[in-house]
Amino acid sequence: MDTDTDDTPGCYYNQSVRFFYEASGKNISTHWRDRDYVIVTLGMAVCFIVIFSNLLVMAAIFKNRRFHFPIYYLLGNLAVADLFSGLSYLHMMFHTGPWTIRLSKYGWFLRQSLIDTSLTASVLNLLAVAVERHQTIFNMQLHSKMSTRRVFVIIVFIWLLAILLGLVPTMGWHCLCDLDSCSTMAPMYSRSYLVFWAVLNLVTFSVMLAVYTRIFVYVRHKSQQMSQHTSQMRHRDTVFNLMKTVSMILGCFVMCWTPALVVLLLDGLGCERCKVLRYEKYCLVLAECNSFVNPIIYSFRDKDMRRTFKEILCFLCRRRDGDKIPSSGVHFNTMEHENCKSRTADPQLSSTNGTPLIHRQEAPPPSET
């Protein structure tokens, strides 16, 4: 792209980034305005929060053996995707505003590819979580029987596909040889690529929503057929609570990213009356904020995750809790503990939190609040 040779007739390989911005109507300011300082400052602050919070989630899943199950490995990989998103946005903060005109075309494509890759990885992770939940819930299990090796193969495949889709514009689906097809929001991207990318993600969102709706209907119907036995009721509640957690994660992701994808789709379709540049920054900030929503959901929904966060953040608290908390890592009050003792004769209640284990050789499933 950035070459010292003459341009091919009809192509603009030797033109600067500014040339494409001006041609698309997205002019770059040559000086820093107050608005630029505010955007970069807030953007960097959000990026640091995203990076720290998702590192905390990854450390919690690695540390606590109660999270060593396929669903949590996939959620941990989602935290990796959010961490990558934070790093991508941080990179963008150092290459935005007046700094944009300093970029080479390779540098500009790299900036955009990082954002595209992080979103694609997040979407594919959520799709994998939806498939895993569908497989386990319809068998009324809490955790999948999928092997750790297979989970990691899925994770590697997710990242390979995300990187490939992020590099597609760099590999040729751009508008350097077709200036009339250039996007307004991403001036070196072809409008047809934006339509493809936005539609692909919106369709994926719809599929995931349909899968989760089917799962909820099934769980609600199945719960009405279950007996009032304590173990079955607690198992049902644990399954339903975990479903609520992953559904909240999906719901927040869809709400945060759908406006940006709709704006991209309108830009790709060439809607001049839509004034996409007016909404671009707001949609970008909303999409970025999604990357630190998941740790907040974990903190409110899962007491084991919340407790592990506290242990990581405070070494003294970790040592103190380690002396007080039994090896199972579950808290009991006096009455609950006595009730648990009275049920030890029941082989169905082998879990310390009253939830029947799917496999006796596995660790007890994490508790939900």
Side-chain angles (χ1 to χ4, degrees):
M1 295 172 189
D2 295 297
T3 65
D4 295 326
T5 59
D6 293 334
D7 280 333
T8 303
C11 294
Y12 302 88
Y13 292 122
N14 287 333
Q15 297 295 334
S16 65
V17 171
R18 171 181 280 183
F19 169 82
F20 291 95
Y21 271 67
E22 291 177 349
S24 67
K26 187 178 182 179
N27 297 323
I28 307 174
S29 174
T30 57
H31 63 280
W32 284 91
R33 299 163 295 182
D34 292 340
R35 177 171 172 267
D36 296 323
Y37 283 115
V38 171
I39 291 174
V40 171
T41 302
L42 291 177
M44 291 181 67
V46 171
C47 288
F48 285 122
I49 295 173
V50 168
I51 293 170
F52 173 77
S53 59
N54 284 285
L55 282 174
L56 191 61
V57 172
M58 293 162 56
I61 293 175
F62 177 80
K63 175 184 181 298
N64 194 333
R65 65 186 296 269
R66 295 174 65 81
F67 301 136
H68 293 181
F69 292 96
I71 180 62
Y72 283 99
Y73 291 144
L74 293 174
L75 292 176
N77 195 42
L78 179 61
V80 175
D82 286 336
L83 173 65
F84 185 76
S85 175
L87 294 173
S88 301
Y89 281 113
L90 186 62
H91 176 268
M92 174 177 278
M93 291 301 103
F94 287 103
H95 300 86
T96 190
W99 285 330
T100 305
I101 59 176
R102 300 181 186 178
L103 291 172
S104 65
K105 286 189 286 298
Y106 277 120
W108 188 90
F109 276 109
L110 173 63
R111 187 187 77 172
Q112 301 302 123
S113 295
L114 291 175
I115 300 295
D116 295 349
T117 299
S118 65
L119 172 61
T120 304
S122 297
V123 172
L124 292 176
N125 266 289
L126 287 169
L127 183 59
V129 169
V131 173
E132 191 274 348
R133 287 294 87 193
H134 186 277
Q135 175 188 353
T136 55
I137 298 301
F138 272 71
N139 293 324
M140 288 311 292
Q141 296 174 332
L142 182 59
H143 295 295
S144 172
K145 296 180 180 179
M146 186 167 32
S147 66
T148 302
R149 179 180 179 181
R150 180 174 294 183
V151 174
F152 281 103
V153 168
I154 293 173
I155 289 173
V156 171
F157 175 76
I158 285 173
W159 281 103
L160 289 177
L161 186 57
I163 293 171
L164 177 63
L165 290 177
L167 291 176
V168 165
T170 309
M171 294 187 292
W173 202 344
H174 49 66
C175 64
L176 301 188
C177 293
D178 187 9
L179 206 60
D180 292 336
S181 69
C182 287
S183 161
T184 302
M185 292 177 59
M188 283 190 283
Y189 274 9
S190 171
R191 292 184 187 275
S192 59
Y193 173 74
L194 291 187
V195 172
F196 161 78
W197 199 66
V199 170
L200 180 64
N201 284 284
L202 289 172
V203 169
T204 305
F205 288 175
S206 301
V207 170
M208 288 189 288
L209 288 174
V211 170
Y212 277 105
T213 300
R214 185 166 186 260
I215 293 174
F216 269 114
V217 171
Y218 176 81
V219 171
R220 186 174 295 276
H221 174 72
K222 194 71 176 179
S223 65
Q224 294 174 355
Q225 299 177 348
M226 297 177 71
S227 69
Q228 297 301 310
H229 194 282
T230 305
S231 63
Q232 291 182 332
M233 294 298 294
R234 293 192 177 184
H235 180 261
R236 183 204 65 181
D237 292 342
T238 303
V239 170
F240 205 68
N241 285 332
L242 184 55
M243 274 300 304
K244 286 181 179 179
T245 300
V246 295
S247 299
M248 288 174 64
I249 293 171
L250 173 64
C252 289
F253 187 88
V254 170
M255 287 189 293
C256 289
W257 272 102
T258 298
L261 292 175
V262 170
V263 170
L264 282 175
L265 181 60
L266 293 174
D267 184 24
L269 294 174
C271 180
E272 297 181 358
R273 297 180 302 173
C274 299
K275 301 185 183 300
V276 293
L277 293 180
R278 177 183 299 177
Y279 307 104
E280 177 191 18
K281 297 294 184 183
Y282 302 105
C283 292
L284 185 62
V285 171
L286 180 61
E288 183 181 0
C289 288
N290 174 254
S291 295
F292 67 79
V293 168
N294 293 343
I296 297 175
I297 295 175
Y298 296 143
S299 297
F300 280 100
R301 294 291 306 168
D302 194 317
K303 74 175 184 181
D304 279 333
M305 185 74 75
R306 185 165 60 247
R307 178 175 56 80
T308 308
F309 286 167
K310 292 178 181 178
E311 291 176 357
I312 294 173
L313 292 173
C314 180
F315 177 77
L316 294 178
C317 290
R318 180 169 69 244
R319 290 293 298 272
R320 183 183 62 187
D321 292 344
D323 294 335
K324 294 181 179 181
I325 298 175
S327 58
S328 63
V330 181
H331 295 279
F332 293 100
N333 58 34
T334 304
M335 184 60 70
E336 288 176 338
H337 197 94
E338 291 301 321
N339 291 338
C340 180
K341 288 181 179 179
S342 65
R343 293 195 302 268
T344 53
D346 188 347
Q348 295 296 323
L349 300 180
S350 55
S351 170
T352 55
N353 64 354
T355 302
L357 296 180
I358 304 307
H359 303 290
R360 287 184 182 275
Q361 66 272 23
E362 292 181 351
S367 57
E368 297 288 333
T369 56

